[in-house]
Amino acid sequence: KKARTAAQDHTYVFVMWVHGYLNGRDGINFKSRPLNQAGITQLVGDIYEICKVDEGKLFLDAIRDIR
């Protein structure tokens, strides 16, 4: 349980960083990239789709591919 909680916390930090990075890169638009459950689910899905094609891709390179 402790390891799962730590993994969730680490994942949350990465997702919040990605959200901030994308908003800095593309401009803040809560309509296209909301900071709510649906938006976070979409963002995680975007990351998953990019990384499943190339599991060795660097994290920042994967994030740069999100549109």
Side-chain angles (χ1 to χ4, degrees):
K1 184 175 180 177
K2 187 176 181 179
R4 182 180 60 210
T5 299
Q8 289 170 334
D9 289 346
H10 289 135
T11 301
Y12 177 77
V13 169
F14 276 101
V15 170
M16 290 299 98
W17 181 88
V18 170
H19 189 271
Y21 172 85
L22 294 174
N23 277 287
R25 183 191 73 185
D26 302 334
I28 296 172
N29 183 339
F30 287 114
K31 194 168 193 164
S32 67
R33 195 171 305 285
L35 187 56
N36 58 24
Q37 184 174 356
I40 297 301
T41 299
Q42 178 63 47
L43 182 56
V44 170
D46 292 344
I47 295 168
Y48 172 77
E49 290 300 320
I50 291 167
C51 291
K52 79 176 185 179
V53 174
D54 181 0
E55 292 181 6
K57 187 172 233 176
L58 297 176
F59 185 73
L60 185 56
D61 291 337
I63 300 313
R64 287 178 178 148
D65 288 347
I66 294 175
R67 296 288 158 216

